[in-house]
Amino acid sequence: MGAIRSCLPVYRALMAHTPGHVVLVVGAVLASQLGVLLTLWLPWKLVVMLAGPYVPTLVPHAITALPQKTQVLLIGGAIVAAYVLHLAAEKLIDWLCERGARRQWRASEKTGLFNNQSKTARQAYQRLLRSIAAVVFAAVAMVALAVLHPPLLLVCLLWCGLVPLALHASTAWRPQLAHALRSSLNRFMGGFVQGGFFCALAYIVWQYWRDALPPLQQVLVALILLRQALQQIAQAVLHLAALDRQRSQVRALFLPDVQWQAPAAVRSPFDELLEPVRREEWMLDLLGRQLGVSLDLHLDGRRLDVQTRTMAAGNIKALFVKVLDADGAVQQGFLFKLFDHARDAAAQQEADLLGGGTAGLPAFEWLGSMRVGGYACHAMRWNPRARRIDGAELARGVLALRTQLMAFEPPLELVERYRRSRVALPERLLQVRFDALAQAAADTSQANDIETLRLAWPGLLQAVHAMPLQLVLPDLSGNAIYREEDGSFKIHHWADWRLEPLGAGWPLSQRIGTDLAHALAQASATRVLPAGATAKHAELAARLHEFERRHARQNYQGAANMVAGLLR
């Protein structure tokens, strides 16, 4: 009801500025649904006529007077014409809504409101008009049901009345059901249509059992009309729900006296898990049930000190938990990472990497992957005495971590899983567009270098394909780096890792050759590297990795500027 009330002023504005469009769209929807009705009913009638001598009912007398073969041709042509009518009406509705949205937008006399406003205006205008047309068609269908088969009208009205009452009672009893209903409204409305149709079908069977069934064709048309009416009611509800989600945008677009103000973010179940009381509840449950750490905060005076950090635009929450005794001394430290459904792939990637063991990785101790409220949650043991570094120490920490990642040899099983999931750098480099690079060349000399690179490209790809793989974190420098008491560096976020040729991911600088040679010397003490894994080949992998990154972002000029370095 709130959605209807919020849309009423908009409906009045539409009737004031584009009444012709409203009337035409309603008429086109009625024509479209009539075409659907005919395409569902006429084929059944055609099949019955082909089966043998048959005098069709609910057909004009002028057609029934014709020979049966002529009737078959006419009804076959009518089926095609009905389908064409449906398609033409739908196209007309789209055309009318696009023109009407532009006129309504001009009538509101607004300046730029928000991004993608033209598309939003077209979609909202179409939803507004289609919801009106759906209600009108449902009313017309109800009148037709009253004429054809009044008991089916009663079944339809009871179904349309009892279902909303049951929903209202359910959400009043269990308020959390309201969010589940909103998130799965499409599926629910599909069930609403099917459930109403099956109730009507059950009533028809009951009438047949009592030998009180009306003529079969009359029943068939009534059932089709009832189903169409339920579908249009469901469509109207979905349109109104979508308009309610965009309420502030729709009102600002179409009402001259309403200004645009971004609505407050709606709290989701993911956000509710981070509320202090709810958060402490599931943390204590995980610590006791999954990790074997029993904490009775009320008996021994211990408490949890939680610091929450947001990553990936709010889709990942890192919760650093300190277990404090009664005197405030730190006893233990844990890290819980909660992943929203939008980052399920990142959660699986991190679990696949760390779940195989963190030996050789600069990672916190992995405790396991679990589910909290249906969301992926990773648990690690965290040293509260480790400090987060920044400033001048950050560059040294990043270099040490890159060297440690180069020294880590990925397990064979992880390599195989990755190869089945992602395209490797040599395969990605096959898609390079040298024509686009040539067009972005700054001068003739650079254009000649690009042509030379194109000729040498197969050899470069072969060289980088022969390099062993290493673990790469694309955003390593933006990751939170912690320094342990023994001086080692560790990070806690391992989502979105990649396996790339040795050297890929290293920043391009004048010291890259020296840094890579030093890193390779340290890595060779930990893992066995082939003789071809030289600093020169690692630098080639680093340059090709950056070259492919720029090319993938269509920064062709930036990629062209790297050609000279690649040729060297």
Side-chain angles (χ1 to χ4, degrees):
M1 293 302 294
I4 297 175
R5 283 195 299 269
S6 68
C7 288
L8 282 178
V10 184
Y11 285 124
R12 287 195 292 267
L14 296 187
M15 294 302 298
H17 296 111
T18 57
H21 291 77
V22 175
V23 174
L24 288 174
V25 168
V26 171
V29 169
L30 292 175
S32 172
Q33 292 302 307
L34 176 62
V36 172
L37 172 65
L38 292 175
T39 54
L40 292 173
W41 174 56
L42 289 176
W44 178 81
K45 182 175 287 295
L46 184 62
V47 170
V48 173
M49 291 179 66
L50 292 173
Y54 169 73
V55 178
T57 57
L58 300 178
V59 174
H61 178 71
I63 295 179
T64 58
L66 296 172
Q68 188 167 357
K69 289 187 176 181
T70 306
Q71 292 181 35
V72 169
L73 289 176
L74 288 175
I75 292 179
I79 295 172
V80 176
Y83 187 66
V84 171
L85 172 65
H86 166 67
L87 294 180
E90 291 296 321
K91 289 294 183 183
L92 178 62
I93 292 168
D94 292 339
W95 182 78
L96 287 170
C97 288
E98 185 170 353
R99 291 177 63 86
R102 286 202 300 265
R103 180 176 296 184
Q104 186 70 33
W105 167 249
R106 288 195 297 268
S108 65
E109 297 182 341
K110 299 288 182 71
T111 185
L113 296 175
F114 44 79
N115 293 328
N116 220 11
Q117 62 184 19
S118 299
K119 182 180 179 181
T120 302
R122 287 196 305 272
Q123 290 177 340
Y125 189 86
Q126 187 165 131
R127 288 189 178 113
L128 287 161
L129 265 60
R130 281 188 178 273
S131 61
I132 296 175
V135 172
V136 171
F137 176 82
V140 172
M142 297 292 184
V143 173
L145 276 177
V147 174
L148 287 170
H149 199 5
L152 275 188
L153 173 63
L154 181 60
V155 170
C156 183
L157 292 176
L158 285 173
W159 180 255
C160 294
L162 292 176
V163 170
L165 288 176
L167 282 178
H168 179 73
S170 300
T171 52
W173 175 53
R174 289 277 184 90
Q176 60 268 30
L177 292 177
H179 177 80
L181 177 63
R182 285 193 298 268
S183 61
S184 57
L185 188 59
N186 282 332
R187 290 196 297 272
F188 176 80
M189 294 313 297
F192 168 80
V193 174
Q194 299 297 337
F197 180 75
F198 287 140
C199 285
L201 202 60
Y203 178 77
I204 294 298
V205 172
W206 182 68
Q207 278 193 314
Y208 172 78
W209 187 263
R210 294 176 54 246
D211 296 325
L213 190 67
L216 188 57
Q217 290 206 39
Q218 185 177 329
V219 171
L220 177 63
V221 174
L223 282 173
I224 295 174
L225 271 174
L226 180 140
R227 185 180 179 84
Q228 284 183 277
L230 292 175
Q231 285 177 333
Q232 291 303 304
I233 291 171
Q235 287 299 315
V237 171
L238 292 174
H239 287 318
L240 288 171
L243 290 167
D244 189 50
R245 289 193 296 269
Q246 296 178 304
R247 180 187 305 181
S248 59
Q249 291 178 317
V250 173
R251 290 172 63 86
L253 280 168
F254 296 141
L255 298 180
D257 57 340
V258 175
Q259 296 82 25
W260 160 246
Q261 182 177 1
V266 179
R267 295 190 66 77
S268 67
F270 183 76
D271 299 316
E272 292 170 1
L273 287 173
L274 302 171
E275 295 289 344
V277 175
R278 183 78 186 279
R279 182 182 65 194
E280 185 172 293
E281 178 184 333
W282 63 259
M283 281 182 179
L284 290 174
D285 179 63
L286 288 183
L287 287 171
R289 179 169 49 87
Q290 300 278 355
L291 307 178
V293 180
S294 180
L295 295 176
D296 194 337
L297 302 183
H298 301 289
L299 289 180
D300 54 15
R302 286 186 286 187
R303 58 189 176 89
L304 301 181
D305 178 56
V306 182
Q307 292 183 344
T308 304
R309 291 186 185 136
T310 300
M311 299 177 289
N315 291 326
I316 303 176
K317 300 290 185 180
L319 298 100
F320 291 83
V321 183
K322 296 178 183 177
V323 181
L324 306 179
D325 61 16
D327 299 326
V330 179
Q331 292 184 322
Q332 299 181 73
F334 298 93
L335 168 63
F336 294 100
K337 291 177 65 178
L338 203 61
F339 295 78
D340 196 359
H341 293 314
R343 296 307 305 273
D344 275 350
Q348 183 183 357
Q349 267 197 297
E350 184 172 85
D352 288 343
L353 175 65
L354 301 183
T358 57
L361 286 175
F364 295 166
E365 181 187 348
W366 175 257
L367 297 177
S369 176
M370 51 213 70
R371 308 292 292 186
V372 175
Y375 297 95
C377 180
H378 295 170
M380 307 177 195
R381 194 176 297 278
W382 168 59
N383 179 10
R385 287 176 287 277
R387 58 184 181 85
R388 184 172 176 175
I389 65 171
D390 54 11
E393 200 175 11
L394 181 62
R396 189 156 60 91
V398 170
L399 180 61
L401 289 172
R402 282 202 177 97
T403 304
Q404 198 166 349
L405 290 178
M406 180 179 282
F408 173 75
E409 185 165 5
L412 182 59
E413 181 185 355
L414 188 68
V415 172
E416 292 301 321
R417 293 188 67 176
Y418 185 85
R419 282 175 173 164
R420 287 193 293 267
S421 308
R422 299 266 184 174
V423 180
L425 179 62
E427 282 74 26
R428 300 200 304 269
L429 289 170
L430 290 173
Q431 310 300 323
V432 169
R433 292 185 52 198
F434 285 97
D435 57 337
L437 295 177
Q439 292 175 10
D443 50 36
T444 305
S445 175
Q446 193 173 73
N448 292 334
D449 286 346
I450 292 172
E451 178 61 20
T452 304
L453 180 66
R454 187 184 67 82
L455 297 174
W457 200 242
L460 294 180
L461 296 189
Q462 186 177 0
V464 77
H465 192 276
M467 291 290 285
L469 297 177
Q470 73 157 86
L471 196 67
V472 174
L473 289 175
D475 194 29
L476 179 58
S477 57
N479 209 324
I481 299 176
Y482 291 84
R483 185 159 191 175
E484 298 286 342
E485 295 169 301
D486 60 359
S488 62
F489 298 97
K490 290 186 178 179
I491 55 178
H492 69 277
H493 189 53
W494 292 85
D496 301 323
W497 55 268
R498 301 287 185 266
L499 289 179
E500 303 285 12
L502 202 70
W506 281 73
L508 304 183
S509 66
Q510 302 210 351
R511 288 182 45 85
I512 183 172
T514 305
D515 290 341
L516 283 171
H518 181 68
L520 281 170
Q522 289 186 303
S524 59
T526 305
R527 62 183 293 192
V528 179
L529 296 175
T534 64
K536 184 176 180 180
H537 285 88
E539 182 179 349
L540 173 63
R543 292 186 181 276
L544 285 173
H545 184 267
E546 175 62 19
F547 177 84
E548 189 273 335
R549 188 186 70 85
R550 297 184 187 185
H551 181 274
R553 296 183 178 183
Q554 297 186 2
N555 179 12
Y556 297 126
Q557 181 152 10
N561 292 336
M562 294 186 62
V563 171
L566 285 171
L567 291 176
R568 284 198 301 270

